[in-house]
Amino acid sequence: MNDRSQYPGSKTDGIGDRFQQETKYDPERMDYQGLDWSRRPEPYKDYPSSLARIALPEPDLSSAPSLWNVFANRRSRRSYDAKKLLPISTLSTLLWAAQGISAQQGEFLFRTAPSAGALYPIETYLSVRSVDDLEPGIYHFRPQAFDLELLNKGDYSTELAGAALGQAMVAKAQVTFIWSAMVERSKWKYRQRAYRYIYLDAGHIAENLYLAAEALGLGVCAIGALFDDQANRLIGIDGGEETAIYMASVGLLKNHPRR
Ligand SMILES: Cc1cc2nc3c(=O)[nH]c(=O)nc-3n(C[C@H](O)[C@H](O)[C@H](O)COP(=O)(O)O)c2cc1C
């Protein structure tokens, strides 16, 4: 489809251009049919209970620098001290800041980051290289239980750096967050427009991680450049119904530039 007249004033050559045009809300073309609650996808992902589950310590929310300083100082930081160990309590605080449960209304749980329709289509995985009291491995985070499920033991950081187009910071990071989208969770309500919201949701989550890491004196770098299917294989997902979309390396800094 290359019909520019259909979308006046826009180029429609590529799939991205068409996606943006064809997922526009238009008052002339709204056909909202309501939600079929009997077909609501599972809001949470759990792996079989035979996997090891590691309860996370309570996040430490007792102190933080001023919000304005955190905004002013936040940067993408890519140089980490690979030899240091990240305390599990710090990892717990980062997970809570990114995707923790912070409120409940009836059966609905709300999180630290906003989500279109409160559908929370993003799942969080970790590639742990060097965290105190946590063996290296690939983990899945369950916000509702506030624990980690151990999917695969071993240090996958070099492989994951390969999946991030060879970005060396991933091999040195104490932990790398990998975010996937459970597409149907959002499509159930928003159909093809869901993809817009999925990416927006992921951006909010990553920013929460950035700000929390800045408050804790850690380095974070968002990673959009990834070989999708290599990342999918590493966390064991199909790349269709659930697909890796974004990552962020987290590392301890030799010297924080402002501390
Ligand atoms: C969606 C997105 C994808 C990004 N992907 C990468 C990446 O793959 N590698 C990288 O080194 N930085 C990546 N970044 C970080 C940007 O390069 C960085 O945010 C930008 O240079 C501005 O610098 P600042 O974050 O320090 O303000 C990404 C940032 C965003 C928001």
Side-chain angles (χ1 to χ4, degrees):
M1 188 172 60
N2 234 338
D3 176 8
R4 293 190 181 193
S5 61
Q6 192 178 351
Y7 307 119
S10 71
K11 289 187 177 183
T12 59
D13 309 287
I15 192 167
D17 303 310
R18 297 206 308 279
F19 167 76
Q20 187 64 19
Q21 297 305 324
E22 291 179 22
T23 58
K24 276 182 174 169
Y25 274 163
D26 176 340
E28 307 293 318
R29 291 191 284 128
M30 298 296 278
D31 63 341
Y32 185 67
Q33 289 154 1
L35 290 175
D36 180 354
W37 283 88
S38 69
R39 299 187 57 196
R40 182 190 179 202
E42 277 298 317
Y44 300 106
K45 181 171 186 181
D46 301 292
Y47 283 84
S49 55
S50 54
L51 291 187
R53 287 180 173 158
I54 297 96
L56 287 159
E58 285 284 303
D60 180 3
L61 312 178
S62 56
S63 67
S66 116
L67 180 62
W68 312 123
N69 283 339
V70 173
F71 282 144
N73 295 335
R74 186 213 59 80
R75 283 271 78 75
S76 294
R77 304 186 201 281
R78 302 173 179 83
S79 295
Y80 311 130
D81 186 342
K83 292 190 241 39
K84 292 183 181 167
L85 267 176
L86 183 75
I88 192 170
S89 54
T90 307
L91 176 61
S92 166
T93 306
L94 293 174
L95 283 162
W96 183 84
Q99 273 292 263
I101 306 287
S102 52
Q104 178 162 17
Q105 275 174 31
E107 65 169 293
F108 296 101
L109 301 176
F110 293 85
R111 304 193 192 178
T112 47
S115 173
L119 295 174
Y120 305 104
I122 308 297
E123 292 288 328
T124 303
Y125 296 81
L126 301 177
S127 166
V128 169
R129 189 184 63 77
S130 183
V131 175
D132 215 3
D133 288 331
L134 208 52
E135 60 183 316
I138 303 289
Y139 292 82
H140 171 247
F141 171 58
R142 294 194 309 160
Q144 74 284 19
F146 205 62
D147 67 9
L148 294 173
E149 298 173 304
L150 176 57
L151 306 187
N152 267 315
K153 286 183 192 177
D155 178 357
Y156 289 88
S157 56
T158 307
E159 226 173 313
L160 190 61
L165 276 62
Q167 298 187 69
M169 64 202 172
V170 174
K172 289 194 154 189
Q174 271 66 25
V175 56
T176 298
F177 283 56
I178 306 159
W179 289 294
S180 74
M182 301 282 287
V183 180
E184 196 52 41
R185 255 186 227 158
S186 183
K187 262 188 179 169
W188 168 65
K189 179 169 184 182
Y190 297 114
R191 290 180 274 173
Q192 291 299 307
R193 194 174 168 90
Y195 286 94
R196 292 182 180 228
Y197 297 156
I198 283 169
Y199 292 124
L200 293 170
D201 272 29
H204 295 304
I205 294 167
E207 179 67 357
N208 276 17
L209 179 68
Y210 262 112
L211 296 175
E214 183 57 42
L216 294 164
L218 300 167
V220 166
C221 186
I223 299 170
L226 50 103
F227 293 122
D228 305 60
D229 285 331
Q230 286 185 22
N232 289 328
R233 275 194 293 278
L234 261 166
I235 56 174
I237 60 173
D238 65 9
E241 284 187 17
E242 182 177 5
T243 184
I245 56 170
Y246 203 17
M247 312 203 302
S249 55
V250 176
L252 290 156
L253 302 168
K254 282 194 177 125
N255 293 304
H256 191 285
R258 288 180 192 79
R259 284 192 173 79

